[in-house]
Amino acid sequence: MSTTLIQNGTLVTDRHTFHADILIENGRIRDVAPSIPNTNADRVIDAAHMLVLPGGIDVHTHMDMPFGGTTSADDFETGTRAAAIGGTTTIVDFAIQAKATKMRDALDTWWKKAEGKVCIDYGLHMIVTDLGTSGLEDMDDMVREGVASFKLFMAYPNVLMVDDATIFKALGQTAKNGALICMHAENGSVIDVIVQKALAEGKTAPIYHALTRPTRAEAEAVHRAIALAEMAGAPVYIVHLSSEDALNQVREARDRGLPAFAETCPQYLLLSINDMDKPGFEPAKYVFTPPLREPHNLPKLWDGLRHDHLQVVSTDHCPFCFADQKILGKDDFTKIPNGGPGVENRLQLIHHHGVGTGRLSLNRFVELVSTTPARLFGMYPRKGALEVGSDADIVIWDPNAEHTISAATHHMRVDYSMFEGFHVRGNARQVLSRGEVIVDQGKFLGKAGRGQYLRRAARGGAWK
Ligand SMILES: [Zn+2]
């Protein structure tokens, strides 16, 4: 039996900020009280002048993911190590069903990718590409394995895109089994027409990735996704929402009382299409989907976070190295692997630009990066909480630590940062995962493979 005592800290949850000590026993929180005397704890952490937060939860990452003839540069070891250093103690990654195969095959494949490597606890969503004859029962089978959420694509025709009938059937199945459907909402068919026209006109530079994906194509798909969910009687979660146009659709639905939810990501909050105004092929660093938008969208997304029109900040971490992967699209922007790195910097960026600027309270910050993701995806209160019985996934956060983000010092296995030179105040000092100190002052102390697969519960927060 091992015990750790965290003393003198200021605890921050989604609801409250208060002084308390935390006693951890065998990986779980055993006691939370104003003052817990040290009888004989194996380890004492002095958190004076520090904030004590539930560990970050990033529900949108792509480690070791095949895309366009290459694979995302972080595997489950390098990616989750970087996540931990930045204060994230849980990820939910995506397994991808190959067409005409069982979802179980994909689950096995992704479990193998994580095995022996993953440094923090992880769950998996299942990307549905094919609902053939056994597809719907396959979904129930996945729910029994703790895959309590599915992702469907309204974009990427002939690769990942599914039609409205498939989306509607999948939503209908979740109305029975209590899983949550996550939608990549962009009108892929229309975008494809715009893209083909651009290529025919010789427009092959990276900037055309952004210019061929209008915000209306995102808004239309968000509207359609929500309408389909409403007809099916199921909640829906929009991933990586990037624009005011799309946000308006979510807000309108929520105002009508529909269980529609959405996440956005640091890149959409802090970068705009103007950041692609760089020489040569460098804009390829910002080629991901949806693309960066016009600057006027940014304050609208911050407002959305503040007023709960948006509920979650995730990263869509999907790194590809500039030198040898992004370059695949040197002569054709459609060949640039889509994705960017970010899993390490989410808490730093949202704390600095959200809490530090007064846009978000500390409690709202915790809600967005930890508690709501845990609730919506069936992990609460084991994760996302500082309650007796919760896993001791805890970040000792120094609100005054200064840090400059750079590819030269980050831990993600990728040769650039989207946030190069960004200066932040506030950083993780220590990170505990199930009671084990896995990060101390930026140094990873945990062991690869120590992370556990999380069996997530159906009928999570989206159903309440
Ligand atoms: Zn993604």
Side-chain angles (χ1 to χ4, degrees), residues 135-170:
L136 294 173
E137 292 94 78
D138 252 30
M139 289 177 71
D140 295 345
D141 182 35
M142 289 300 99
V143 171
R144 284 190 290 273
E145 292 290 3
V147 179
S149 45
F150 299 87
K151 184 182 184 189
L152 286 84
F153 283 80
M154 301 170 104
Y156 301 122
N158 306 317
V159 188
L160 296 165
M161 191 171 103
V162 289
D163 62 13
D164 290 351
T166 302
I167 294 167
F168 187 63
K169 282 183 206 164

PDB file of all heavy atoms in Angstrom, residues 135-170:
ATOM      1  N   GLY A 135     -22.959  -4.298 -39.013  1.00  0.00           N
ATOM      2  CA  GLY A 135     -22.423  -3.066 -38.454  1.00  0.00           C
ATOM      3  C   GLY A 135     -23.083  -2.598 -37.173  1.00  0.00           C
ATOM      4  O   GLY A 135     -22.407  -2.198 -36.230  1.00  0.00           O
ATOM      5  N   LEU A 136     -24.397  -2.669 -37.145  1.00  0.00           N
ATOM      6  CA  LEU A 136     -25.090  -2.114 -35.988  1.00  0.00           C
ATOM      7  C   LEU A 136     -24.848  -2.954 -34.729  1.00  0.00           C
ATOM      8  O   LEU A 136     -24.655  -2.411 -33.642  1.00  0.00           O
ATOM      9  CB  LEU A 136     -26.586  -1.967 -36.280  1.00  0.00           C
ATOM     10  CG  LEU A 136     -26.905  -0.928 -37.382  1.00  0.00           C
ATOM     11  CD1 LEU A 136     -28.378  -0.963 -37.746  1.00  0.00           C
ATOM     12  CD2 LEU A 136     -26.500   0.477 -36.970  1.00  0.00           C
ATOM     13  N   GLU A 137     -24.811  -4.295 -34.900  1.00  0.00           N
ATOM     14  CA  GLU A 137     -24.486  -5.133 -33.737  1.00  0.00           C
ATOM     15  C   GLU A 137     -23.025  -4.925 -33.322  1.00  0.00           C
ATOM     16  O   GLU A 137     -22.693  -5.004 -32.149  1.00  0.00           O
ATOM     17  CB  GLU A 137     -24.702  -6.621 -34.028  1.00  0.00           C
ATOM     18  CG  GLU A 137     -26.150  -7.020 -34.217  1.00  0.00           C
ATOM     19  CD  GLU A 137     -26.554  -7.009 -35.686  1.00  0.00           C
ATOM     20  OE1 GLU A 137     -26.203  -7.967 -36.393  1.00  0.00           O
ATOM     21  OE2 GLU A 137     -27.191  -6.038 -36.120  1.00  0.00           O
ATOM     22  N   ASP A 138     -22.192  -4.660 -34.338  1.00  0.00           N
ATOM     23  CA  ASP A 138     -20.796  -4.336 -34.061  1.00  0.00           C
ATOM     24  C   ASP A 138     -20.690  -3.156 -33.094  1.00  0.00           C
ATOM     25  O   ASP A 138     -19.838  -3.126 -32.210  1.00  0.00           O
ATOM     26  CB  ASP A 138     -20.102  -3.925 -35.367  1.00  0.00           C
ATOM     27  CG  ASP A 138     -19.124  -4.976 -35.856  1.00  0.00           C
ATOM     28  OD1 ASP A 138     -19.375  -6.163 -35.581  1.00  0.00           O
ATOM     29  OD2 ASP A 138     -18.133  -4.600 -36.495  1.00  0.00           O
ATOM     30  N   MET A 139     -21.560  -2.201 -33.282  1.00  0.00           N
ATOM     31  CA  MET A 139     -21.526  -1.026 -32.402  1.00  0.00           C
ATOM     32  C   MET A 139     -21.861  -1.426 -30.965  1.00  0.00           C
ATOM     33  O   MET A 139     -21.202  -0.973 -30.025  1.00  0.00           O
ATOM     34  CB  MET A 139     -22.509   0.045 -32.897  1.00  0.00           C
ATOM     35  CG  MET A 139     -22.057   0.734 -34.189  1.00  0.00           C
ATOM     36  SD  MET A 139     -23.263   1.935 -34.825  1.00  0.00           S
ATOM     37  CE  MET A 139     -23.112   3.260 -33.623  1.00  0.00           C
ATOM     38  N   ASP A 140     -22.842  -2.296 -30.805  1.00  0.00           N
ATOM     39  CA  ASP A 140     -23.184  -2.760 -29.449  1.00  0.00           C
ATOM     40  C   ASP A 140     -22.017  -3.525 -28.838  1.00  0.00           C
ATOM     41  O   ASP A 140     -21.717  -3.402 -27.643  1.00  0.00           O
ATOM     42  CB  ASP A 140     -24.418  -3.675 -29.490  1.00  0.00           C
ATOM     43  CG  ASP A 140     -25.672  -2.926 -29.932  1.00  0.00           C
ATOM     44  OD1 ASP A 140     -25.650  -1.685 -29.933  1.00  0.00           O
ATOM     45  OD2 ASP A 140     -26.661  -3.600 -30.271  1.00  0.00           O
ATOM     46  N   ASP A 141     -21.356  -4.342 -29.680  1.00  0.00           N
ATOM     47  CA  ASP A 141     -20.187  -5.097 -29.234  1.00  0.00           C
ATOM     48  C   ASP A 141     -19.107  -4.145 -28.717  1.00  0.00           C
ATOM     49  O   ASP A 141     -18.498  -4.372 -27.662  1.00  0.00           O
ATOM     50  CB  ASP A 141     -19.677  -5.924 -30.426  1.00  0.00           C
ATOM     51  CG  ASP A 141     -18.490  -6.790 -30.068  1.00  0.00           C
ATOM     52  OD1 ASP A 141     -18.447  -7.287 -28.920  1.00  0.00           O
ATOM     53  OD2 ASP A 141     -17.598  -6.961 -30.916  1.00  0.00           O
ATOM     54  N   MET A 142     -18.892  -3.046 -29.437  1.00  0.00           N
ATOM     55  CA  MET A 142     -17.887  -2.066 -29.015  1.00  0.00           C
ATOM     56  C   MET A 142     -18.266  -1.412 -27.686  1.00  0.00           C
ATOM     57  O   MET A 142     -17.413  -1.215 -26.820  1.00  0.00           O
ATOM     58  CB  MET A 142     -17.721  -0.983 -30.095  1.00  0.00           C
ATOM     59  CG  MET A 142     -17.029  -1.445 -31.356  1.00  0.00           C
ATOM     60  SD  MET A 142     -15.342  -2.044 -31.059  1.00  0.00           S
ATOM     61  CE  MET A 142     -15.595  -3.806 -31.014  1.00  0.00           C
ATOM     62  N   VAL A 143     -19.541  -1.108 -27.543  1.00  0.00           N
ATOM     63  CA  VAL A 143     -19.984  -0.486 -26.279  1.00  0.00           C
ATOM     64  C   VAL A 143     -19.669  -1.423 -25.111  1.00  0.00           C
ATOM     65  O   VAL A 143     -19.207  -0.983 -24.052  1.00  0.00           O
ATOM     66  CB  VAL A 143     -21.486  -0.133 -26.333  1.00  0.00           C
ATOM     67  CG1 VAL A 143     -21.998   0.309 -24.967  1.00  0.00           C
ATOM     68  CG2 VAL A 143     -21.717   0.982 -27.356  1.00  0.00           C
ATOM     69  N   ARG A 144     -19.860  -2.725 -25.330  1.00  0.00           N
ATOM     70  CA  ARG A 144     -19.531  -3.692 -24.261  1.00  0.00           C
ATOM     71  C   ARG A 144     -18.041  -3.699 -23.940  1.00  0.00           C
ATOM     72  O   ARG A 144     -17.634  -4.042 -22.843  1.00  0.00           O
ATOM     73  CB  ARG A 144     -19.994  -5.100 -24.668  1.00  0.00           C
ATOM     74  CG  ARG A 144     -21.506  -5.311 -24.538  1.00  0.00           C
ATOM     75  CD  ARG A 144     -21.884  -6.769 -24.720  1.00  0.00           C
ATOM     76  NE  ARG A 144     -21.708  -7.233 -26.097  1.00  0.00           N
ATOM     77  CZ  ARG A 144     -22.648  -7.124 -27.053  1.00  0.00           C
ATOM     78  NH1 ARG A 144     -23.827  -6.603 -26.777  1.00  0.00           N
ATOM     79  NH2 ARG A 144     -22.409  -7.548 -28.280  1.00  0.00           N
ATOM     80  N   GLU A 145     -17.208  -3.298 -24.912  1.00  0.00           N
ATOM     81  CA  GLU A 145     -15.751  -3.236 -24.688  1.00  0.00           C
ATOM     82  C   GLU A 145     -15.314  -1.872 -24.156  1.00  0.00           C
ATOM     83  O   GLU A 145     -14.121  -1.568 -24.114  1.00  0.00           O
ATOM     84  CB  GLU A 145     -15.003  -3.528 -25.992  1.00  0.00           C
ATOM     85  CG  GLU A 145     -15.157  -4.960 -26.481  1.00  0.00           C
ATOM     86  CD  GLU A 145     -14.418  -5.971 -25.606  1.00  0.00           C
ATOM     87  OE1 GLU A 145     -13.825  -5.561 -24.585  1.00  0.00           O
ATOM     88  OE2 GLU A 145     -14.433  -7.167 -25.943  1.00  0.00           O
ATOM     89  N   GLY A 146     -16.268  -1.032 -23.819  1.00  0.00           N
ATOM     90  CA  GLY A 146     -15.910   0.275 -23.265  1.00  0.00           C
ATOM     91  C   GLY A 146     -15.648   1.342 -24.307  1.00  0.00           C
ATOM     92  O   GLY A 146     -15.148   2.420 -23.996  1.00  0.00           O
ATOM     93  N   VAL A 147     -15.967   1.035 -25.555  1.00  0.00           N
ATOM     94  CA  VAL A 147     -15.880   2.048 -26.610  1.00  0.00           C
ATOM     95  C   VAL A 147     -17.248   2.736 -26.653  1.00  0.00           C
ATOM     96  O   VAL A 147     -18.144   2.320 -27.365  1.00  0.00           O
ATOM     97  CB  VAL A 147     -15.549   1.409 -27.983  1.00  0.00           C
ATOM     98  CG1 VAL A 147     -15.486   2.465 -29.071  1.00  0.00           C
ATOM     99  CG2 VAL A 147     -14.230   0.655 -27.900  1.00  0.00           C
ATOM    100  N   ALA A 148     -17.374   3.765 -25.841  1.00  0.00           N
ATOM    101  CA  ALA A 148     -18.699   4.355 -25.635  1.00  0.00           C
ATOM    102  C   ALA A 148     -18.974   5.515 -26.577  1.00  0.00           C
ATOM    103  O   ALA A 148     -19.900   6.300 -26.365  1.00  0.00           O
ATOM    104  CB  ALA A 148     -18.832   4.813 -24.187  1.00  0.00           C
ATOM    105  N   SER A 149     -18.155   5.637 -27.627  1.00  0.00           N
ATOM    106  CA  SER A 149     -18.364   6.729 -28.583  1.00  0.00           C
ATOM    107  C   SER A 149     -17.851   6.320 -29.953  1.00  0.00           C
ATOM    108  O   SER A 149     -16.908   5.530 -30.071  1.00  0.00           O
ATOM    109  CB  SER A 149     -17.655   7.993 -28.102  1.00  0.00           C
ATOM    110  OG  SER A 149     -16.350   7.685 -27.659  1.00  0.00           O
ATOM    111  N   PHE A 150     -18.482   6.861 -30.968  1.00  0.00           N
ATOM    112  CA  PHE A 150     -18.144   6.561 -32.358  1.00  0.00           C
ATOM    113  C   PHE A 150     -17.963   7.862 -33.102  1.00  0.00           C
ATOM    114  O   PHE A 150     -18.606   8.856 -32.782  1.00  0.00           O
ATOM    115  CB  PHE A 150     -19.270   5.757 -33.016  1.00  0.00           C
ATOM    116  CG  PHE A 150     -19.509   4.433 -32.345  1.00  0.00           C
ATOM    117  CD1 PHE A 150     -20.368   4.335 -31.259  1.00  0.00           C
ATOM    118  CD2 PHE A 150     -18.837   3.305 -32.784  1.00  0.00           C
ATOM    119  CE1 PHE A 150     -20.568   3.121 -30.622  1.00  0.00           C
ATOM    120  CE2 PHE A 150     -19.033   2.078 -32.151  1.00  0.00           C
ATOM    121  CZ  PHE A 150     -19.895   1.986 -31.067  1.00  0.00           C
ATOM    122  N   LYS A 151     -17.069   7.828 -34.091  1.00  0.00           N
ATOM    123  CA  LYS A 151     -16.900   9.027 -34.902  1.00  0.00           C
ATOM    124  C   LYS A 151     -17.271   8.708 -36.342  1.00  0.00           C
ATOM    125  O   LYS A 151     -16.888   7.660 -36.868  1.00  0.00           O
ATOM    126  CB  LYS A 151     -15.454   9.500 -34.839  1.00  0.00           C
ATOM    127  CG  LYS A 151     -15.189  10.807 -35.588  1.00  0.00           C
ATOM    128  CD  LYS A 151     -13.719  11.158 -35.502  1.00  0.00           C
ATOM    129  CE  LYS A 151     -13.391  12.486 -36.127  1.00  0.00           C
ATOM    130  NZ  LYS A 151     -11.919  12.663 -36.208  1.00  0.00           N
ATOM    131  N   LEU A 152     -18.016   9.618 -36.940  1.00  0.00           N
ATOM    132  CA  LEU A 152     -18.373   9.477 -38.353  1.00  0.00           C
ATOM    133  C   LEU A 152     -17.941  10.729 -39.095  1.00  0.00           C
ATOM    134  O   LEU A 152     -17.915  11.825 -38.529  1.00  0.00           O
ATOM    135  CB  LEU A 152     -19.887   9.259 -38.512  1.00  0.00           C
ATOM    136  CG  LEU A 152     -20.381   7.859 -38.121  1.00  0.00           C
ATOM    137  CD1 LEU A 152     -20.619   7.729 -36.643  1.00  0.00           C
ATOM    138  CD2 LEU A 152     -21.647   7.507 -38.895  1.00  0.00           C
ATOM    139  N   PHE A 153     -17.605  10.532 -40.361  1.00  0.00           N
ATOM    140  CA  PHE A 153     -17.103  11.626 -41.184  1.00  0.00           C
ATOM    141  C   PHE A 153     -18.126  12.041 -42.231  1.00  0.00           C
ATOM    142  O   PHE A 153     -18.618  11.215 -42.984  1.00  0.00           O
ATOM    143  CB  PHE A 153     -15.811  11.215 -41.903  1.00  0.00           C
ATOM    144  CG  PHE A 153     -14.593  11.217 -41.021  1.00  0.00           C
ATOM    145  CD1 PHE A 153     -14.330  10.157 -40.168  1.00  0.00           C
ATOM    146  CD2 PHE A 153     -13.697  12.280 -41.046  1.00  0.00           C
ATOM    147  CE1 PHE A 153     -13.210  10.144 -39.350  1.00  0.00           C
ATOM    148  CE2 PHE A 153     -12.572  12.286 -40.227  1.00  0.00           C
ATOM    149  CZ  PHE A 153     -12.325  11.227 -39.379  1.00  0.00           C
ATOM    150  N   MET A 154     -18.392  13.343 -42.289  1.00  0.00           N
ATOM    151  CA  MET A 154     -19.189  13.904 -43.376  1.00  0.00           C
ATOM    152  C   MET A 154     -18.249  14.482 -44.434  1.00  0.00           C
ATOM    153  O   MET A 154     -18.700  15.079 -45.411  1.00  0.00           O
ATOM    154  CB  MET A 154     -20.120  14.992 -42.820  1.00  0.00           C
ATOM    155  CG  MET A 154     -21.071  14.454 -41.744  1.00  0.00           C
ATOM    156  SD  MET A 154     -21.956  15.768 -40.877  1.00  0.00           S
ATOM    157  CE  MET A 154     -23.581  15.627 -41.632  1.00  0.00           C
ATOM    158  N   ALA A 155     -16.941  14.319 -44.231  1.00  0.00           N
ATOM    159  CA  ALA A 155     -15.921  14.807 -45.170  1.00  0.00           C
ATOM    160  C   ALA A 155     -15.046  13.644 -45.625  1.00  0.00           C
ATOM    161  O   ALA A 155     -15.206  12.522 -45.153  1.00  0.00           O
ATOM    162  CB  ALA A 155     -15.062  15.873 -44.502  1.00  0.00           C
ATOM    163  N   TYR A 156     -14.108  13.927 -46.522  1.00  0.00           N
ATOM    164  CA  TYR A 156     -13.188  12.942 -47.103  1.00  0.00           C
ATOM    165  C   TYR A 156     -13.927  11.855 -47.894  1.00  0.00           C
ATOM    166  O   TYR A 156     -13.880  10.671 -47.547  1.00  0.00           O
ATOM    167  CB  TYR A 156     -12.314  12.272 -46.024  1.00  0.00           C
ATOM    168  CG  TYR A 156     -11.449  13.210 -45.210  1.00  0.00           C
ATOM    169  CD1 TYR A 156     -11.564  13.254 -43.832  1.00  0.00           C
ATOM    170  CD2 TYR A 156     -10.491  14.025 -45.817  1.00  0.00           C
ATOM    171  CE1 TYR A 156     -10.763  14.091 -43.058  1.00  0.00           C
ATOM    172  CE2 TYR A 156      -9.682  14.862 -45.048  1.00  0.00           C
ATOM    173  CZ  TYR A 156      -9.828  14.889 -43.672  1.00  0.00           C
ATOM    174  OH  TYR A 156      -9.024  15.706 -42.909  1.00  0.00           O
ATOM    175  N   PRO A 157     -14.611  12.253 -49.010  1.00  0.00           N
ATOM    176  CA  PRO A 157     -15.311  11.274 -49.838  1.00  0.00           C
ATOM    177  C   PRO A 157     -14.371  10.165 -50.316  1.00  0.00           C
ATOM    178  O   PRO A 157     -13.193  10.427 -50.585  1.00  0.00           O
ATOM    179  CB  PRO A 157     -15.826  12.090 -51.033  1.00  0.00           C
ATOM    180  CG  PRO A 157     -15.491  13.512 -50.784  1.00  0.00           C
ATOM    181  CD  PRO A 157     -14.700  13.633 -49.538  1.00  0.00           C
ATOM    182  N   ASN A 158     -14.892   8.967 -50.412  1.00  0.00           N
ATOM    183  CA  ASN A 158     -14.151   7.778 -50.875  1.00  0.00           C
ATOM    184  C   ASN A 158     -13.087   7.299 -49.897  1.00  0.00           C
ATOM    185  O   ASN A 158     -12.403   6.316 -50.158  1.00  0.00           O
ATOM    186  CB  ASN A 158     -13.495   7.993 -52.251  1.00  0.00           C
ATOM    187  CG  ASN A 158     -14.511   8.451 -53.279  1.00  0.00           C
ATOM    188  OD1 ASN A 158     -15.619   7.916 -53.334  1.00  0.00           O
ATOM    189  ND2 ASN A 158     -14.173   9.466 -54.052  1.00  0.00           N
ATOM    190  N   VAL A 159     -12.905   7.977 -48.805  1.00  0.00           N
ATOM    191  CA  VAL A 159     -11.936   7.517 -47.808  1.00  0.00           C
ATOM    192  C   VAL A 159     -12.674   7.218 -46.502  1.00  0.00           C
ATOM    193  O   VAL A 159     -12.809   6.059 -46.103  1.00  0.00           O
ATOM    194  CB  VAL A 159     -10.818   8.563 -47.570  1.00  0.00           C
ATOM    195  CG1 VAL A 159      -9.730   7.972 -46.679  1.00  0.00           C
ATOM    196  CG2 VAL A 159     -10.224   9.034 -48.891  1.00  0.00           C
ATOM    197  N   LEU A 160     -13.149   8.241 -45.853  1.00  0.00           N
ATOM    198  CA  LEU A 160     -13.792   8.074 -44.550  1.00  0.00           C
ATOM    199  C   LEU A 160     -15.263   8.494 -44.546  1.00  0.00           C
ATOM    200  O   LEU A 160     -16.009   8.139 -43.642  1.00  0.00           O
ATOM    201  CB  LEU A 160     -13.035   8.912 -43.499  1.00  0.00           C
ATOM    202  CG  LEU A 160     -11.582   8.493 -43.218  1.00  0.00           C
ATOM    203  CD1 LEU A 160     -10.850   9.591 -42.453  1.00  0.00           C
ATOM    204  CD2 LEU A 160     -11.528   7.190 -42.435  1.00  0.00           C
ATOM    205  N   MET A 161     -15.667   9.239 -45.562  1.00  0.00           N
ATOM    206  CA  MET A 161     -17.018   9.806 -45.551  1.00  0.00           C
ATOM    207  C   MET A 161     -18.093   8.721 -45.614  1.00  0.00           C
ATOM    208  O   MET A 161     -17.951   7.740 -46.324  1.00  0.00           O
ATOM    209  CB  MET A 161     -17.198  10.762 -46.738  1.00  0.00           C
ATOM    210  CG  MET A 161     -18.457  11.599 -46.657  1.00  0.00           C
ATOM    211  SD  MET A 161     -18.484  12.895 -47.927  1.00  0.00           S
ATOM    212  CE  MET A 161     -19.615  12.159 -49.085  1.00  0.00           C
ATOM    213  N   VAL A 162     -19.134   8.924 -44.818  1.00  0.00           N
ATOM    214  CA  VAL A 162     -20.298   8.047 -44.889  1.00  0.00           C
ATOM    215  C   VAL A 162     -21.518   8.891 -45.276  1.00  0.00           C
ATOM    216  O   VAL A 162     -21.519  10.110 -45.082  1.00  0.00           O
ATOM    217  CB  VAL A 162     -20.556   7.324 -43.542  1.00  0.00           C
ATOM    218  CG1 VAL A 162     -19.489   6.265 -43.288  1.00  0.00           C
ATOM    219  CG2 VAL A 162     -20.604   8.307 -42.378  1.00  0.00           C
ATOM    220  N   ASP A 163     -22.533   8.237 -45.818  1.00  0.00           N
ATOM    221  CA  ASP A 163     -23.699   8.998 -46.273  1.00  0.00           C
ATOM    222  C   ASP A 163     -24.674   9.252 -45.110  1.00  0.00           C
ATOM    223  O   ASP A 163     -24.507   8.729 -44.008  1.00  0.00           O
ATOM    224  CB  ASP A 163     -24.382   8.308 -47.462  1.00  0.00           C
ATOM    225  CG  ASP A 163     -24.924   6.931 -47.110  1.00  0.00           C
ATOM    226  OD1 ASP A 163     -24.994   6.590 -45.896  1.00  0.00           O
ATOM    227  OD2 ASP A 163     -25.277   6.180 -48.027  1.00  0.00           O
ATOM    228  N   ASP A 164     -25.685  10.057 -45.395  1.00  0.00           N
ATOM    229  CA  ASP A 164     -26.626  10.442 -44.344  1.00  0.00           C
ATOM    230  C   ASP A 164     -27.385   9.236 -43.782  1.00  0.00           C
ATOM    231  O   ASP A 164     -27.710   9.200 -42.593  1.00  0.00           O
ATOM    232  CB  ASP A 164     -27.632  11.474 -44.878  1.00  0.00           C
ATOM    233  CG  ASP A 164     -26.984  12.829 -45.143  1.00  0.00           C
ATOM    234  OD1 ASP A 164     -25.811  13.007 -44.745  1.00  0.00           O
ATOM    235  OD2 ASP A 164     -27.645  13.695 -45.737  1.00  0.00           O
ATOM    236  N   ALA A 165     -27.670   8.262 -44.647  1.00  0.00           N
ATOM    237  CA  ALA A 165     -28.390   7.074 -44.173  1.00  0.00           C
ATOM    238  C   ALA A 165     -27.552   6.347 -43.112  1.00  0.00           C
ATOM    239  O   ALA A 165     -28.072   5.925 -42.069  1.00  0.00           O
ATOM    240  CB  ALA A 165     -28.692   6.139 -45.342  1.00  0.00           C
ATOM    241  N   THR A 166     -26.269   6.214 -43.377  1.00  0.00           N
ATOM    242  CA  THR A 166     -25.376   5.553 -42.417  1.00  0.00           C
ATOM    243  C   THR A 166     -25.310   6.334 -41.107  1.00  0.00           C
ATOM    244  O   THR A 166     -25.385   5.751 -40.018  1.00  0.00           O
ATOM    245  CB  THR A 166     -23.961   5.416 -43.031  1.00  0.00           C
ATOM    246  OG1 THR A 166     -24.068   4.667 -44.240  1.00  0.00           O
ATOM    247  CG2 THR A 166     -22.997   4.733 -42.080  1.00  0.00           C
ATOM    248  N   ILE A 167     -25.200   7.641 -41.232  1.00  0.00           N
ATOM    249  CA  ILE A 167     -25.141   8.481 -40.028  1.00  0.00           C
ATOM    250  C   ILE A 167     -26.432   8.320 -39.215  1.00  0.00           C
ATOM    251  O   ILE A 167     -26.403   8.149 -37.989  1.00  0.00           O
ATOM    252  CB  ILE A 167     -24.943   9.973 -40.415  1.00  0.00           C
ATOM    253  CG1 ILE A 167     -23.562  10.166 -41.056  1.00  0.00           C
ATOM    254  CG2 ILE A 167     -25.097  10.876 -39.191  1.00  0.00           C
ATOM    255  CD1 ILE A 167     -23.378  11.500 -41.750  1.00  0.00           C
ATOM    256  N   PHE A 168     -27.551   8.337 -39.936  1.00  0.00           N
ATOM    257  CA  PHE A 168     -28.844   8.242 -39.266  1.00  0.00           C
ATOM    258  C   PHE A 168     -29.015   6.886 -38.577  1.00  0.00           C
ATOM    259  O   PHE A 168     -29.500   6.799 -37.436  1.00  0.00           O
ATOM    260  CB  PHE A 168     -29.970   8.493 -40.283  1.00  0.00           C
ATOM    261  CG  PHE A 168     -31.336   8.572 -39.665  1.00  0.00           C
ATOM    262  CD1 PHE A 168     -31.655   9.571 -38.754  1.00  0.00           C
ATOM    263  CD2 PHE A 168     -32.307   7.643 -39.991  1.00  0.00           C
ATOM    264  CE1 PHE A 168     -32.919   9.650 -38.175  1.00  0.00           C
ATOM    265  CE2 PHE A 168     -33.576   7.701 -39.426  1.00  0.00           C
ATOM    266  CZ  PHE A 168     -33.879   8.706 -38.511  1.00  0.00           C
ATOM    267  N   LYS A 169     -28.576   5.825 -39.247  1.00  0.00           N
ATOM    268  CA  LYS A 169     -28.648   4.483 -38.632  1.00  0.00           C
ATOM    269  C   LYS A 169     -27.771   4.400 -37.386  1.00  0.00           C
ATOM    270  O   LYS A 169     -28.170   3.835 -36.364  1.00  0.00           O
ATOM    271  CB  LYS A 169     -28.175   3.412 -39.630  1.00  0.00           C
ATOM    272  CG  LYS A 169     -29.200   3.043 -40.677  1.00  0.00           C
ATOM    273  CD  LYS A 169     -28.623   1.923 -41.550  1.00  0.00           C
ATOM    274  CE  LYS A 169     -29.271   1.945 -42.923  1.00  0.00           C
ATOM    275  NZ  LYS A 169     -28.502   1.157 -43.894  1.00  0.00           N
ATOM    276  N   ALA A 170     -26.568   4.939 -37.500  1.00  0.00           N
ATOM    277  CA  ALA A 170     -25.643   4.894 -36.357  1.00  0.00           C
ATOM    278  C   ALA A 170     -26.221   5.681 -35.179  1.00  0.00           C
ATOM    279  O   ALA A 170     -26.183   5.226 -34.026  1.00  0.00           O
ATOM    280  CB  ALA A 170     -24.279   5.447 -36.756  1.00  0.00           C
TER     281      ALA A 170
END
